[in-house]
Amino acid sequence: MNRTLRGFRDILPPDSELFSAIEDAAREVFRLHGYREIRIPTLETKELFVKSTGDTTDIVEKEMYAFTDGGGREVAMRPEGTPGVARAYIEQNLSQGGRNAKLFYIGPMFRAERPQAGRYREFTQIGVECIGNPSPSADAESISLLVKVLEKAGAPGCTVELNTLGCSDCRRAYRDQLLGYLKLNTEALCEACRRRVDRNPMRALDCKVDGPWLADKAPHISLCPGCVEHFDRTQALLKAAGVDFKVNRTMVRGLDYYTRTVFEVKAGALGAQDAVAGGGRYDDLIKSMGGPAAPSVGWAMGLDRAALVIKAAGAAPEEKGPSAFFVASGKEAGLEAFRLMSDLRAVGIPADYSNFDLSMKSQMRSADRSGADYAVIIGEDELKSAACSLKPLKGQAGQESVPFAGLASRLAVKPA
Ligand code: AMP
């Protein structure tokens, strides 16, 4: 039998409906904040991610679905959205007109991680990028936007953690200082950190093995006055916007391009994989990719994890059946039922049926299971009187006879 690949899954109703509801909430919040949708390819050149996400990151080094295609090109399934958006910004000249680009995307990402609860090899991210605005107000707006999306989607218990990694100047000075420290302590490092220490010493801070003790013992970054001011101002703006957050000076993100502000949203309900969203400022990425100077900030939220948070809180929208489930016996009645169903749907009343060729008993069983408010029954008697029998399925007593012509207006009235 064919089975899905490990870490890949089918998302069925009602989960698929919860996913859509979160997407709808996000789209509404994005619209209010002037963000517009960008749709980017799922497959890009491998080089795009190697050069932007970073060749020493876990995502690129260990987790990327990269392969050589039939034409001999080195390609990769996107593990994240920012590099593709940055490429599009440059390639499509989105900087024209001097306006900031405020873009969002929703789509699948691929990472060959070890699957566990909340961690999949194909998952969906909702992400935003505000490109071209160096001001702390862009950082604060981006974070506040993320909190609003989670609130609107109904995900409770999320906390925002904030840090700054310094600008490229602060980072350059710190890189040398950290490299010196790591070289003196090579013995204590894990094999992966030892291997990449010269190429990218900063990665050790994000390593699952060495990160925790280095956060205690390694020297900390000193920030230049500009970075201190940027961080202070971002916090002041977040407070002004009523966003709760806590500063976590040891937070580093698993991607190379971040400068200055970085943030994560965590939810206790998720257990080990507790990050619902993460992001930060990337002031140099677009320039380093051959584009214009375009200081930017953005984030990505894991849709699968947001859904888990909402479900854990019992806050998923109630499952709703149709208003009317049609049950008909005989060819003529089936025809009438089909016509009435179509009339109801045309005026926005959800209607469903199973199969008019089956017995009434079997159709009634389906009606009971459907979660519908009413069964609309049409047999020989109903045909003769041109009135259907309306049977409540949600506990109310009684059955009433409703003329075919009056069915839509009768069902438009919500049941008590
Ligand atoms: P990142 O940019 O790697 O921090 O990813 C942003 C968000 O995407 C995370 O906070 C998670 O919510 C989600 N995410 C990342 N990797 C996975 C995965 N393998 N499975 C499910 N969600 C993920």
Side-chain angles (χ1 to χ4, degrees):
M1 192 177 99
N2 285 321
R3 291 191 174 276
T4 51
L5 293 166
R6 204 162 112 78
F8 291 74
R9 66 208 176 113
D10 304 308
I11 296 159
L12 308 176
D15 287 353
S16 51
E17 283 141 10
L18 175 57
F19 275 46
S20 293
I22 301 170
E23 289 176 16
D24 291 347
R27 283 177 191 279
E28 176 58 17
V29 177
F30 293 153
R31 196 181 60 77
L32 291 174
H33 289 72
Y35 277 77
R36 299 177 73 185
E37 183 169 12
I38 181 166
R39 299 191 183 212
I40 43 171
T42 341
L43 198 69
E44 299 262 8
T45 63
K46 180 180 172 188
E47 190 192 15
L48 174 69
F49 303 106
V50 169
K51 293 227 166 116
S52 51
T53 312
D55 59 350
T56 54
T57 59
D58 280 357
I59 294 175
V60 169
E61 205 177 27
K62 301 188 200 149
E63 298 163 2
M64 203 151 69
Y65 282 96
F67 54 95
T68 310
D69 76 1
R73 286 168 291 259
E74 295 275 325
V75 295
M77 307 287 289
R78 61 182 185 197
E80 58 142 344
T82 305
V85 176
R87 178 204 42 70
Y89 180 82
I90 301 167
E91 196 176 341
Q92 309 300 335
N93 271 320
L94 298 183
S95 61
Q96 269 182 353
R99 294 216 333 222
N100 303 335
K102 292 169 90 174
L103 301 166
F104 77 87
Y105 58 85
I106 300 179
M109 305 293 159
F110 303 85
R111 296 183 193 174
E113 295 187 83
R114 197 170 51 77
Q116 63 182 81
R119 197 206 269 155
Y120 315 102
R121 290 183 167 174
E122 178 178 4
F123 56 98
T124 299
Q125 281 187 341
I126 300 181
V128 302
E129 314 292 352
C130 173
I131 305 177
N133 186 349
S135 160
S137 63
D139 307 40
E141 187 187 48
S142 187
I143 297 168
S144 135
L145 178 68
L146 171 54
V147 171
K148 294 220 170 74
V149 168
L150 288 163
E151 274 172 12
K152 177 108 187 155
C158 294
T159 50
V160 179
E161 292 190 11
L162 190 69
N163 193 15
T164 177
L165 302 178
C167 63
S168 52
D169 290 341
C170 306
R171 285 165 71 77
R172 206 170 300 118
Y174 179 57
R175 186 188 184 280
D176 294 342
Q177 195 189 359
L178 182 66
L179 182 61
Y181 176 85
L182 296 176
K183 287 273 193 195
L184 286 176
N185 294 278
T186 344
E187 299 286 276
L189 294 175
C190 76
E191 200 205 308
C193 284
R194 241 180 273 170
R195 189 162 32 81
R196 65 192 166 198
V197 69
D198 284 307
R199 273 197 298 159
N200 192 345
M202 307 287 228
R203 282 268 68 86
L205 300 174
D206 185 42
C207 168
K208 288 179 189 80
V209 183
D210 296 322
W213 72 266
L214 286 171
D216 264 355
K217 302 225 165 91
H220 291 274
I221 193 166
S222 335
L223 299 173
C224 68
C227 283
V228 172
E229 194 188 324
H230 190 98
F231 196 44
D232 287 348
R233 183 81 183 149
T234 300
Q235 293 181 60
L237 288 160
L238 280 173
K239 283 180 190 147
V243 175
D244 282 333
F245 61 91
K246 64 175 189 233
V247 172
N248 172 1
R249 289 295 284 131
T250 63
M251 188 215 305
V252 262
R253 304 258 308 125
L255 317 168
D256 269 359
Y257 46 68
Y258 288 120
T259 47
R260 293 195 160 168
T261 316
V262 284
F263 49 91
E264 258 176 15
V265 172
K266 293 190 174 155
L270 287 179
Q273 301 302 319
D274 64 352
V276 182
R281 182 163 270 291
Y282 52 98
D283 285 346
D284 307 321
L285 175 67
I286 290 180
K287 194 141 193 269
S288 76
M289 290 169 66
S296 306
V297 57
W299 50 257
M301 179 181 111
L303 180 56
D304 310 69
R305 290 198 194 160
L308 286 174
V309 174
I310 293 168
K311 273 171 63 169
E318 230 175 85
E319 272 194 64
K320 219 179 142 9
S323 301
F325 196 98
F326 280 75
V327 172
S329 95
K331 288 238 166 336
E332 270 308 303
L335 207 63
E336 189 57 41
F338 207 73
R339 189 180 64 76
L340 282 171
M341 237 178 1
S342 149
D343 289 351
L344 292 189
R345 290 165 175 166
V347 294
I349 298 173
D352 204 358
Y353 76 114
S354 60
N355 178 351
F356 298 138
D357 298 335
L358 298 176
S359 71
M360 291 287 262
K361 203 167 154 208
S362 147
Q363 292 186 52
M364 271 313 291
R365 256 200 312 272
S366 301
D368 281 327
R369 272 199 302 259
S370 71
D373 296 326
Y374 294 98
V376 178
I377 304 162
I378 307 178
E380 266 174 42
D381 291 350
E382 284 82 2
L383 267 185
K384 268 191 220 127
S385 58
C388 50
S389 300
L390 195 64
K391 181 175 188 291
L393 297 175
K394 296 251 168 96
Q396 315 95 303
Q399 181 161 314
E400 56 188 294
S401 175
V402 180
F404 292 160
L407 184 62
S409 45
R410 169 65 186 81
L411 289 176
V413 182
K414 290 264 165 270

